[in-house]
Amino acid sequence: MADTNDNKVDFYAPASSLFVYNNPWPLSEIPSVDDQEFLTLTFESYTRLGTLRLEDNKCVVYAYYSNGPIRPLERQKHSVEERKYLNKHGLKIFLTEPLCSHIIDDPKGELFYHNFNFGFYSEFYNEELPTKRIRSKELDSIWRYVRDNALTNVTVATCDYNVNKYYTLYDNEMSVLYDDLFLRDMRIYDNICLESKKQITKRTICPTWRYTTARWMLSSILHDTDCYLSWYFAVGENFGDGSTWARKKDFEQYAPELHARVIQGTIALNRKLPLCLDIAAEGATLIPDGAAHHYPQHIVNQKLNDGMNPVAINEVHQPLDQLYQHTFLSIQAESRFAQPTGNWSEKVIQAIQHKTPFIIVAPPFTLQCMKEAGYRTFDKWWDESYDTETNHLIRFKKIVEIIDWVETKSYEELFEIYQEMMPVLEHNFWTAVDNTQTGTMSTAIDPDQAVSISWDSEWSKEEFDWSTK
C-alpha cells in the first residue's frame, strides 16, 4: 500500500520483509523477488553487477529487510529434493539491518521482550563478554531453519563488522560473515552542491532521529555548542542508570569528569525541546523507559509520524544541503553504539557526499571497516583511537574530546584545516560513487516519484505491545 506525502515521496509497506531470489520452486510464505515490482529491477542489477557475490550461479538467495526473529523462515520445511539442491548449490541469506542481539544470562535481559535490554535489541556492557553468551534473534531463526531442514551449505551475510569473531555459537551450523548488501544498494545524491565550501560559519552539524542512549548523551553535550542539532526527546537526567554502559558507577570508573556535564546538559536541553533542523515538530517526545523503540512524535509531516524515515526525503530533496555548505564537521550518530560489531550506514555517507569531514558515533572498529571499503579518515588532524576503544563509555569520552577541540578553533582556523582535508574529502566522495551499484538519484528514479519502503516484521506486529511495558 502506498500513500504520497507533501514531499512527493511515496510511502510503501510490503506485506513481507523476507524475499527469495534464484529459487527454482515456490515457497508458501516467502514471496519471490520476481513477483515484486519494486525489487525485480534491483535484483536484476545485482545479477548483472555481481553484487550478491555468489560462488555458484544456482545459489538460492534470501533477503531480509527487517529486524528480529524471521518467523516465515522458521516455519519453512523443504522436501528431500529441495534440501539436496540447497546443499549442493548453497543458500545465502542477506540481513540488511544490524543484528538484534541478546546476551545469555543478562541481568537486564528481562526488561523488554525476547531477553532484550534496550527495546528491540540489547546494548552491551563496557566489559567484554565471552562470545558463547552472545546471540542474535535473526541468527537464532536461521539456526532453527538450518537444523530443521538438515542444511549444510548456508552463508549468512550481515552488516555487522567482525560478526564472525563474536557470534561463534552458530559456527557449526552456518558461515556468518560481514557482507553489507545495504551499503552496496545505496544511491549517490547528485542533486547537491558539489562545490567546495567558500567559508566556515558553523562548527558542527548533528542530525538525529530515533532515540538511543548515545544520541541522548551526545545531544546533552552539543546543545550549548556551535552546532546544528536535531533532538526531540525529553528524558530524565539519570536515564543512564538504566543502561548497560552509562550508569553512574560506569562514569565514576571511566569518565568521572563527564557525568555532571551530561546531567546538567540534559536538564538544560529539556528546556529547549524540540530542536529541529529539516523535520519540524510541534512538541517534545517524552521517553518513559530509555529504550531504542522510541521515534519522534508530534511531527508536522504526518507521514513521518506514521513511520516514514527522513532518509527517504533527504535523498530526494536534500533539505540539509544548505547547512552542510558552511559547516566544518559532521557528527554522525549511527543507530548502534554499545555493541562489539561495527556498523555504518547512509548517515555517514551523507557527510561524505557533502564533502564534509566527520566523526562517527558508532560501535568500535567502524572506521576500520570504512577504511577497508576504501575510505580515508582524519587521523592526521585528530585522535581517532576512539575507533579501537571497546569500552563504550571511554569511546564516547574520546569523541567528546574531539568535539571540545573543534570548539576551541576559530572559523578561520577550521577553514584552513578544511582546505588541507580536500584531497581526503574528494577521495571519499569518489569512493562513495565507485562503491554504489544502483546509480545516482536522477538516473535511478524520478525524483518526483520516489518511493520509501517501510519494512515491517511479523514478530513486531504480533508480539509487541509497548503500552503494557
Side-chain angles (χ1 to χ4, degrees):
M1 167 178 162
D3 194 8
T4 302
N5 63 26
D6 295 337
N7 291 282
K8 298 181 180 180
V9 178
D10 283 348
F11 182 44
Y12 181 76
S16 174
S17 297
L18 177 67
F19 297 88
V20 65
Y21 176 69
N22 208 29
N23 196 53
W25 59 84
L27 299 175
S28 58
E29 290 192 67
I30 305 174
S32 171
V33 164
D34 296 333
D35 299 328
Q36 312 295 320
E37 183 179 355
F38 63 95
L39 283 177
T40 301
L41 291 177
T42 296
F43 274 79
E44 286 179 356
S45 296
Y46 287 166
T47 300
R48 177 172 53 86
L49 297 168
T51 305
L52 300 176
R53 300 174 179 174
L54 304 180
E55 296 182 3
D56 185 324
N57 61 12
K58 292 185 178 180
C59 178
V60 175
V61 172
Y62 291 146
Y64 185 50
Y65 292 94
S66 191
N67 299 100
I70 314 173
R71 298 303 188 208
L73 191 63
E74 293 177 6
R75 293 189 290 265
Q76 183 64 49
K77 299 296 186 290
H78 292 292
S79 68
V80 173
E81 290 304 313
E82 290 170 351
R83 295 176 186 181
K84 288 180 178 179
Y85 185 95
L86 291 170
N87 288 337
K88 178 180 179 180
H89 298 291
L91 170 64
K92 191 168 186 178
I93 303 174
F94 286 94
L95 305 177
T96 64
E97 292 287 338
L99 294 173
C100 290
S101 301
H102 60 111
I103 302 167
I104 298 174
D105 298 326
D106 182 2
K108 292 181 176 291
E110 298 301 324
L111 290 178
F112 299 99
Y113 294 85
H114 290 275
N115 305 116
F116 295 137
N117 63 39
F118 195 52
F120 65 96
Y121 62 92
S122 286
E123 292 203 307
F124 286 69
Y125 296 82
N126 288 313
E127 300 75 24
E128 289 201 34
L129 295 170
T131 59
K132 295 299 183 183
R133 292 182 59 194
I134 300 175
R135 293 172 59 177
S136 147
K137 293 301 179 181
E138 298 87 350
L139 297 180
D140 286 349
S141 289
I142 298 170
W143 178 86
R144 292 187 184 96
Y145 164 72
V146 168
R147 298 266 296 198
D148 288 348
N149 289 281
L151 301 180
T152 60
N153 189 9
V154 177
T155 299
V156 183
T158 77
C159 50
D160 285 68
Y161 183 71
N162 282 334
V163 64
N164 58 312
K165 176 181 177 181
Y166 291 98
Y167 293 80
T168 60
L169 271 175
Y170 309 92
D171 286 351
N172 292 334
E173 309 296 335
M174 52 202 177
S175 174
V176 183
L177 50 80
Y178 172 75
D179 184 3
D180 197 331
L181 183 63
F182 173 84
L183 289 175
R184 294 201 300 280
D185 193 35
M186 289 178 56
R187 298 184 181 96
I188 293 298
Y189 307 163
D190 62 344
N191 53 349
I192 62 175
C193 177
L194 298 181
E195 296 182 2
S196 301
K197 304 179 197 293
K198 304 302 182 185
Q199 60 179 340
I200 299 296
T201 59
K202 200 74 172 179
R203 290 182 174 84
T204 61
I205 181 171
C206 182
T208 65
W209 189 240
R210 178 173 59 82
Y211 175 86
T212 71
T213 302
R215 290 173 176 174
W216 152 54
M217 290 169 51
L218 183 64
S219 298
S220 76
I221 299 295
L222 290 174
H223 79 95
D224 64 351
T225 66
D226 186 31
C227 177
Y228 287 124
L229 172 66
S230 62
W231 184 248
Y232 300 87
F233 304 103
V235 304
E237 62 267 23
N238 293 313
F239 252 31
D241 288 340
S243 77
T244 56
W245 62 277
R247 299 160 294 184
K248 182 178 180 180
K249 67 177 185 179
D250 294 309
F251 275 102
E252 290 173 347
Q253 183 173 359
Y254 301 118
E257 72 285 357
L258 204 56
H259 191 224
R261 188 174 173 186
V262 168
I263 290 178
Q264 293 166 9
T266 301
I267 296 172
L269 178 63
N270 284 342
R271 300 191 188 106
K272 299 179 179 180
L273 297 176
L275 297 179
C276 308
L277 295 178
D278 52 328
I279 307 296
E282 296 175 331
T285 300
L286 177 65
I287 300 295
D289 52 17
H293 50 256
H294 295 289
Y295 289 79
Q297 302 297 310
H298 318 299
I299 302 299
V300 173
N301 183 333
Q302 186 57 44
K303 291 303 171 188
L304 290 168
N305 279 325
D306 291 342
M308 178 186 268
N309 193 308
V311 68
I313 297 172
N314 291 346
E315 64 182 13
V316 177
H317 299 285
Q318 289 301 306
L320 298 176
D321 189 23
Q322 60 181 344
L323 304 182
Y324 273 100
Q325 287 180 24
H326 59 264
T327 300
F328 172 69
L329 176 68
S330 186
I331 303 169
Q332 299 302 141
E334 286 290 345
S335 59
R336 302 295 180 90
F337 182 77
Q339 64 180 41
T341 51
N343 177 260
W344 53 288
S345 69
E346 81 287 343
K347 300 171 186 65
V348 67
I349 293 295
Q350 180 170 260
I352 288 171
Q353 294 185 155
H354 284 94
K355 298 182 181 178
T356 299
F358 59 85
I359 53 179
I360 187 165
V361 185
F365 301 105
T366 297
L367 287 181
Q368 178 175 305
C369 179
M370 294 186 68
K371 290 177 181 178
E372 291 181 8
Y375 294 98
R376 298 174 185 170
T377 58
F378 306 94
D379 53 357
K380 177 181 176 181
W381 293 277
W382 49 70
D383 179 14
E384 288 187 337
S385 64
Y386 71 87
D387 185 57
T388 58
E389 178 55 65
T390 58
N391 181 298
H392 310 301
L393 188 54
I394 294 177
R395 185 167 71 260
F396 183 84
K397 180 177 73 171
K398 289 186 173 186
I399 291 169
V400 171
E401 289 171 354
I402 299 172
I403 295 169
D404 289 344
W405 176 81
V406 171
E407 281 292 303
T408 68
K409 300 297 181 182
S410 67
Y411 292 149
E412 292 74 20
E413 289 175 305
L414 293 176
F415 185 66
E416 183 176 340
I417 295 172
Y418 165 76
Q419 291 177 309
E420 293 175 4
M421 291 176 167
M422 276 309 301
V424 173
L425 300 175
E426 288 287 347
H427 169 87
N428 285 348
F429 177 85
W430 290 110
T431 298
V433 171
D434 290 341
N435 284 353
T436 189
Q437 297 198 338
T438 50
T440 60
M441 287 302 301
S442 61
T443 58
I445 59 174
D446 180 345
D448 290 330
Q449 296 180 350
V451 176
S452 171
I453 307 297
S454 176
W455 302 107
D456 209 344
S457 59
E458 180 181 345
W459 76 299
S460 65
K461 288 180 179 177
E462 297 183 1
E463 300 184 33
F464 284 70
D465 179 6
W466 298 114
S467 65
T468 66
K469 290 290 180 176

